[in-house]
Amino acid sequence: MKKINQERRTLLKYTGIFAAVPFINQVLDKSTLLAAGLNHFTTDLVINGEVYTAAHWGALKLTIKEGKIIKSQNAFDNLTPNPLQNFTADLIDGINTNRIKAPMVRKSYLEKKSNHKELRGADEWVEISYEKAIKLVSDEIKRVRKQKGPNGIYGGSYGWKSSGNFHNSRTLLHRFLTMGGGFVGGLGDYSASAAQVIMPHVLGTLEVYEQQTSWPIVLEHSKVVVIWGANPMDTLRIAWTSTDNQGLEYFKKLKESGKKILCIDPIKSNTIEFFEDKAEWISITPNTDTALMLGIMHTMLITQKYDKNFLEEYTEGFEVFEKYLLGKEDNTPKTAKWASQICGIPENKIKELAKLFFENRTMFMAGWNMQRQHHGEQPHWMLVTLSAMIGQIGLPGGGFGFSYHYSNGGSPSTNAPVIGGISIGKVLSKEEEKTLMDGAELAIPVARIADCLLNAGKTIKYNGREITYPDIDLIYWVGGNPFVHHQDTNTLIKAWKKPSSVIVHDIYWTPTAKMADIVFPITTPYERNDLTMSGDYSNLSIYPMKQAIKRLPKSKHDFEVFTDLAKACGFEKQYTENKSEMQWLEEFYNTAYNQAQKTGITLADGNNMPDFKTFWKNNRPITFAPTPEGEEFIRYADFREDPILNPLGTPSGKIEIYSKTIEKMQYEGCPAFPQWIEPIEWKGMKNPPAEFVLVSPHPSLRLHSQLSNTRLREQYAISNREPIWINPQDAKNKGIKNGDIVRAFNKRGQILVGAVISDIVPKGVVRIYEGAWYDPENPKENNTLCKNGNANVLTIDLPSSELANGNIANTAMINIEKYKGTIPKLTAFTPPKGA
Ligand code: PGD
């Protein structure tokens, strides 16, 4: 009976949300798009009407007038507005029309001047024909392969690219490089590398990319919700596939639920502002979360308010951790007072938290910023340990979740069949296959790229094995922006000058494109056809991504470029499988359609899933309903119910508070149980190298560096620079006023930023969002000023520890001063000379 009601409730709810999608206009004009180069694809274009597509920032309804996008809005009118969705038209041109409009080569690369590598980022560019670009690139790839084998080509090419299961630039590159004989890839990602490596040792899963206890369960059962170092109001505007928009709706419900909500964060983020007086902001000193957790646990231990039975039955190694907590060996009990001195939260508050968490059903919703730090393996491990002491893991509304802030984790899973996507294929030559038996040998931890380029032959440790850096002679980058996302830009510049060739595909003249030798002009997602699912955890909908407008005359799909390179290298047929864009899409869709046919899965409104032709013609998203199991999902409930029958994937089958595997590794920076370890730079250190802690979280009005080149920038730029938030007291001491241009600097570099004076940041801390396009004042000079304010010019390029080698973007100290020099003209969004 309960089940029937629930299914009905679910059905009504979801047909309700998506009923707002209006009928779609007819295709008014049929036009054939001829790709300017060697491949031809055809599709129908709407000239006046509406087109549905999608981006990381959700399903979009585009209004088209005379072939141009005149309006862009959320496809579902009844959902929380998402400001990222309204600037699609700007993406077609970009500020200063910074599209890459033709294949281009750096002048001195073309002329092969001896110092050509030194001129990367400072040279003139020359347009060449597409055919010539294909020849240049294919010849160079053949040369490097012959001389250095697959180890000479770096194709890790990290980045968020665009949504879409076919025009997936990174996979398309990997497909080309794999079929051609292999390449050096990247291990992990910039998002959650430290957690991804430590969590399997502790819980047997990646944890950060797993479904969370469902929101309906949290709303029903949790009494206390702790948002720990996360800013879902901003980060839920986007998702890896395409946002299903549900997370923000659930946070709205949480706000009105009357539950105790705590936000532990150095900064009063947009999420904390959103909760108004419904949440308590606990401002913590950056980089000290593990110390706070220890103080809470010590209090629990000495007040005997912790769950001994849970620890005994479900965990391994608490007795060793207990000794550490009590300071038996280091003479430092991790008391609330000890923790308070490190994390800046009053001792009494820490004690109060210990009692509150133990006595109430508590859900920790933790973000990833605290693991993007020096010793970033520790905070998540410590939070799992704290949750184990509380003993609510596997109970409804209790325990921890590391993905409520990302891609709508906790939105109930549907039974949607999953669409296919382009694959990396396999090595074609038997000879090369032999050298690629262990693909992992050919990958480096993704954030070690600069270290690898600078130190070929160096051996590093990584999660139980050793990796010797290959000697990279060619970099191929698509769908990412390392001159924005990588830490310590000035070191990256030095490293980038090592290889003989750098090839980049991008839509725009990004700082990374400007640092290349050869660039290909790529179409925007609105100039091609694709498909995506929404909701990385819920699998809620399948979105058509219909081409909205004609492409620029010389631009190419990544797929076309790789097809022509594959042709030049002799494997075009294997690369394309003789399929066109629309044939691939039909095949991907049919993977899901056939599954639905076989299993009888229907849409949320009870209708059958349409066949591909109908789906494409209808031009509207299709949506599936959550299953009762999805609605009632409680993470680790089965393990809790029977840890013998449902053990975790750890060596002991239990939660490993002490890991013998890690003990054996004997790694620098990652001991065998979670600990407070001083980071390389932090506020409480003895001789701080600078005055302020820099926090560089994900931005509110763009996705990393994407959307920077739209008018959204007008909403946040200060004096035409990236903003820096400074506490009023600090600003007064430095003589800085709102709107002033500030030089932020340390031994790694210097940037210009625009001052926002606000008490949302505590004294001694400043915030600069990551994602501002690097804009060097004099590209020929070492350590030149970044005119636009890219935070990563100031961050540290060191590994989290020898275990995970994650990036430590959020461990850094800087100085600030009012800028007194001549204010240089911003050129971040201006194409380079010759383009
Ligand atoms: P994006 O801005 O998304 O950033 O770094 P990432 O490189 O992913 O870059 C995507 C690029 O792909 C853009 O240049 C875009 O134009 C291009 N692109 C889009 N679509 C296509 C396409 O179809 N084809 C091609 N060829 N190109 C395309 C993000 C990274 O930054 C991440 S994930 C994290 S989590 C890190 N976070 C931080 C942080 O918190 N703090 C700091 N300081 N630094 C960070 N860096 C990391």
Side-chain angles (χ1 to χ4, degrees), residues 158-163 167-169 189-192 368-369 372 477-482 484-487 504-508 510 522-525 528 558 696-698 703-706 768-771 773 791-792 795 807 809-810:
Y158 180 80
W160 263 67
K161 58 189 178 59
S162 294
S163 300
H167 295 288
N168 180 339
S169 51
D189 56 35
Y190 279 73
S191 299
W368 301 343
N369 179 305
R372 226 174 280 133
W477 215 293
V478 302
N481 205 352
V484 177
H485 75 225
H486 186 76
Q487 290 59 55
V504 168
H505 294 193
D506 209 300
I507 305 164
Y508 313 103
T510 62
I522 299 301
T523 47
T524 67
R528 56 201 191 202
D558 295 285
S696 57
H698 289 182
L703 163 63
H704 302 303
S705 78
Q706 296 189 49
I768 306 172
Y769 284 135
E770 61 97 14
W773 291 23
N792 277 324
T795 56
N807 77 77
N810 283 295

Side-chain angles (χ1 to χ4, degrees), residues 341-551:
Q341 282 159 358
I342 294 171
C343 72
I345 296 167
E347 187 184 341
N348 278 348
K349 186 78 208 171
I350 297 175
K351 289 182 176 162
E352 186 191 310
L353 292 179
K355 190 167 180 297
L356 180 79
F357 296 162
F358 181 69
E359 289 179 354
N360 295 281
R361 185 61 56 85
T362 299
M363 174 59 84
F364 296 113
M365 298 183 169
W368 301 343
N369 179 305
M370 61 173 129
Q371 59 83 60
R372 226 174 280 133
Q373 294 181 6
H374 200 206
H375 310 123
E377 291 86 351
Q378 306 304 307
H380 283 78
W381 196 357
M382 197 70 87
L383 194 59
V384 172
T385 308
L386 168 59
S387 304
M389 275 188 89
I390 296 170
Q392 296 173 4
I393 296 169
L395 292 180
F400 57 86
F402 296 151
S403 215
Y404 285 102
H405 69 295
Y406 172 75
S407 287
N408 303 290
S411 300
S413 300
T414 68
N415 59 358
V418 176
I419 60 174
I422 195 79
S423 75
I424 63 165
K426 50 180 199 252
V427 181
L428 298 173
S429 123
K430 284 272 168 264
E431 189 53 33
E432 276 149 352
E433 199 173 17
K434 264 189 255 148
T435 62
L436 292 170
M437 289 302 279
D438 182 2
E441 282 297 314
L442 287 177
I444 56 161
V446 73
R448 303 314 303 136
I449 177 63
D451 198 42
C452 167
L453 291 169
L454 286 169
N455 300 292
K458 173 177 156 186
T459 299
I460 60 160
K461 292 172 183 152
Y462 173 76
N463 199 16
R465 59 195 173 93
E466 294 195 332
I467 295 175
T468 300
Y469 287 151
D471 185 8
I472 307 282
D473 201 29
L474 183 149
I475 295 176
Y476 208 134
W477 215 293
V478 302
N481 205 352
F483 279 86
V484 177
H485 75 225
H486 186 76
Q487 290 59 55
D488 191 352
T489 314
N490 286 314
T491 299
L492 181 65
I493 291 172
K494 281 192 204 107
W496 204 256
K497 289 183 176 164
K498 290 267 166 170
S500 300
S501 298
V502 180
I503 302 149
V504 168
H505 294 193
D506 209 300
I507 305 164
Y508 313 103
W509 279 109
T510 62
T512 303
K514 287 177 182 172
M515 288 295 292
D517 299 323
I518 304 175
V519 294
F520 280 101
I522 299 301
T523 47
T524 67
Y526 317 100
E527 296 160 336
R528 56 201 191 202
N529 295 294
D530 216 325
L531 278 180
T532 184
M533 294 201 71
S534 78
D536 301 7
Y537 304 106
S538 66
N539 277 349
L540 188 64
S541 306
I542 301 175
Y543 295 155
M545 292 175 65
K546 276 209 151 188
Q547 182 174 353
I549 52 161
K550 276 189 187 176
R551 62 163 103 179

Side-chain angles (χ1 to χ4, degrees), residues 31 51 673 748:
S31 85
V51 173
F673 60 89
R748 293 174 286 275

